[in-house]
Amino acid sequence: MSEPSPQRIGPHPAPHPAIPVYEQQEQLGDLWSAVPEPARRRYRPRRAFWRHRAVRAGAVITLLALSGLVILALVRDQTGTQGFLVGLGLAVLPVPLLMAAFRWLDRVDPGPWRNLLFSFAWGACAAALVAIIANSFATHWIATATADPAGAESLGATVIAPVVEESAKAAAVLLVFLFRRRDFTGLVDGVVFAGFTASGFAFTENILYLGTAFGEDQSLNGSGFASITAATFFVRIVMSPFAHPLFTVLTGIGFGLAAMANRRQKIRRFAFPLLGLALAMGMHALWNGSSSLFGPYGFYAVYAVFMVPVFALLTWLAIWSRQRELRTVSAQLPAYAAAGWLTPAAPHALSSMRARTMARDFAARAYGSKAARSVGEYEAFATSLAFLRDRAHRGTVGPDFVEREQELLHHLWQRKDIAGPALTYAARATGRVRVPPPYIDYDGYNPYRQY
């Protein structure tokens, strides 16, 4: 049976796509019965062998695994087994905090974990390996050419390391941008992918620094708070766990702005990532060269005067972007509610993280954990639908907009019986939808009534 095309309201201009008309349940059952499984959806184009998901995933996993083994051997060779274990135990402490912070930013429209794990693994393995090899080679070459090992170390830390490390980390963001374009839609995605990549890189680098410091303490019989290990731990783990993420987030913002550009803004799509990368390199160079440029207290001066304000500014920008995503949901979904696809209260609930959580809790109490998962999936599909329509308004959506929209609407229709009442309850409970007071009709005798 051929799949009928749903009727649409009005014309279909590119910047303002029309909303499909909501059909009755019986008609929808026939309409969506021909929707194939995700692996067999017709609108996905045929791809060459090397572009198949299994082939690419196998190649990436193999590359990262080999890089991880090599970086493990290099770090262990420089720190020793005992130093490596100590460094590993201390370096892992800030990782859950960093991952939780960036995942929190991504809660409005959470992307798949595979992208985040790839970014973290790339930073911890591939980028760290490139940085160690390239930095060592460049520093050795400069020292040999200039016969000034001390100057070569300073130049390598201030100039070579920022360029090499930020380029290596930016490669992960670029790969996600190119090959997971559907999951890379805006500023928040750029910040999250860059943050996970830099967190992985900082994790490996901290193992190296802390393990080396522990080895020096062992040779000097240092221990306690006066040890090199304690000082290194304080500077890298306590004072500046967000240092590497802060640098690379600038690159992520550049890619996020490029993702928001339409197809006609080609200069913007290339210029913003390059500008973000240049700013990341500049901030990294300032951080690394603070002591040599501004004296013994230069590190603390740069930290207080520059790094902390920039960190606060970027934190505000990330949170503002997260709120902007909620405003996008609030602006785009009422059109689907007016067409009957959503309940009138659903857009109000879906634009509040508190209401979303309350809706899932209500479904779990009323119907069980399976219903709560269904409501969570409904929220995710509705958010993706809002972002899809927003990109259509901005002219950044692909030619498969109608198919993707119908697919998302199908998923919403499947879950509407449970998600609709739960979201309506959450919208009313959080005060986002006013509930009129009950009307009471006194049929009995009223001495003040005029008959």
Side-chain angles (χ1 to χ4, degrees):
M1 182 182 70
S2 61
E3 180 182 357
S5 300
Q7 181 185 359
R8 303 182 72 86
I9 300 176
H12 187 83
H16 300 286
I19 302 293
V21 173
Y22 180 80
E23 303 289 345
Q24 297 300 322
Q25 181 173 347
E26 293 80 5
Q27 295 174 331
L28 277 172
D30 294 335
L31 174 63
W32 294 115
S33 61
V35 174
E37 293 299 320
R40 301 178 61 188
R41 287 172 188 151
R42 291 181 300 151
Y43 68 87
R44 293 190 176 184
R46 292 184 178 275
R47 297 173 178 175
F49 171 76
W50 66 274
R51 298 190 64 185
H52 281 267
R53 178 179 297 181
V55 176
R56 292 191 300 183
V60 169
I61 293 173
T62 302
L63 172 64
L64 293 178
L66 292 175
S67 300
L69 292 175
V70 175
I71 196 70
L72 175 64
L74 290 176
V75 172
R76 181 180 174 277
D77 180 66
Q78 295 188 36
T79 62
T81 302
Q82 192 174 6
F84 172 78
L85 294 176
V86 171
L88 176 64
L90 296 176
V92 78
L93 294 178
V95 172
L97 171 65
L98 295 171
M99 296 179 73
F102 287 112
R103 187 61 175 175
W104 177 84
L105 284 177
D106 202 32
R107 279 186 62 202
V108 177
D109 185 27
W113 268 103
R114 63 176 178 270
N115 294 337
L116 304 181
L117 294 178
F118 161 77
S119 300
F120 184 88
W122 181 278
C125 300
L129 178 60
V130 169
I132 288 180
I133 296 176
N135 289 341
S136 299
F137 173 80
T139 302
H140 177 73
W141 182 83
I142 294 173
T144 303
T146 61
D148 183 10
E153 288 289 341
S154 177
L155 184 63
T158 306
V159 179
I160 304 300
V163 173
V164 171
E165 294 176 7
E166 294 307 319
S167 298
K169 289 182 286 183
V173 187
L174 175 63
L175 289 174
V176 177
F177 183 83
L178 293 177
F179 296 102
R180 288 291 183 266
R181 188 65 180 83
R182 184 174 296 183
D183 300 326
F184 203 134
T185 58
L187 205 64
V188 172
D189 294 319
V191 170
V192 171
F193 293 134
F196 267 78
T197 303
S199 298
F201 183 90
F203 169 66
T204 300
E205 190 178 67
N206 286 337
I207 296 175
L208 179 61
Y209 277 90
L210 290 166
T212 302
F214 179 81
E216 294 178 3
D217 284 331
Q218 291 294 98
S219 62
L220 298 174
N221 295 322
S223 61
F225 291 105
S227 65
I228 301 175
T229 304
T232 305
F233 179 84
F234 178 75
V235 171
R236 298 191 65 87
I237 306 300
V238 178
M239 285 188 63
S240 56
F242 281 94
H244 271 289
L246 184 62
F247 308 146
T248 313
V249 157
L250 294 173
T251 304
I253 291 175
F255 277 99
L257 293 174
M260 297 169 63
N262 59 45
R263 299 178 182 276
R264 296 185 299 273
Q265 298 171 320
K266 294 183 178 180
I267 297 178
R268 177 178 172 179
R269 292 167 66 88
F270 287 97
F272 277 121
L274 294 176
L275 177 61
L277 178 60
L279 291 175
M281 292 176 179
M283 184 180 291
H284 196 159
L286 178 63
W287 175 258
N288 284 4
S290 56
S291 297
S292 59
L293 293 174
F294 305 108
Y297 296 101
F299 169 81
Y300 299 101
V302 170
Y303 181 85
V305 177
F306 186 76
M307 295 294 290
V308 172
V310 171
F311 175 76
L313 177 63
L314 291 182
T315 301
W316 171 83
L317 178 63
I319 295 176
W320 176 85
S321 300
R322 184 177 186 265
Q323 293 301 117
R324 182 179 177 274
E325 290 186 336
L326 291 173
R327 290 193 294 271
T328 299
V329 172
S330 178
Q332 299 298 334
L333 289 185
Y336 292 97
W341 291 100
L342 308 175
T343 61
H348 300 282
L350 291 167
S351 59
S352 165
M353 299 306 297
R354 178 167 171 256
R356 289 186 179 203
T357 302
M358 189 173 292
R360 294 193 298 271
D361 294 341
F362 172 82
R365 292 194 306 267
Y367 307 107
S369 59
K370 187 176 180 180
R373 287 195 300 271
S374 180
V375 173
E377 292 169 353
Y378 186 96
E379 294 170 350
F381 287 127
T383 304
S384 297
L385 181 64
F387 288 172
L388 179 67
R389 186 167 181 82
D390 180 66
R391 293 197 300 275
H393 286 177
R394 291 187 279 109
T396 60
V397 75
D400 59 347
F401 167 77
V402 174
E403 290 83 356
R404 292 174 63 187
E405 180 189 47
Q406 291 178 0
E407 180 184 325
L408 291 169
L409 289 174
H410 169 54
H411 289 304
L412 294 180
W413 175 77
Q414 285 183 318
R415 296 160 176 81
K416 67 182 179 65
D417 291 337
I418 294 177
L423 290 170
T424 299
Y425 164 81
R428 292 177 176 177
T430 55
R432 302 185 68 83
V433 174
R434 289 189 58 187
V435 181
Y439 173 74
I440 302 176
D441 184 17
Y442 295 96
D443 292 330
Y445 172 72
N446 186 349
Y448 299 100
R449 181 182 295 175
Q450 298 295 325
Y451 293 96

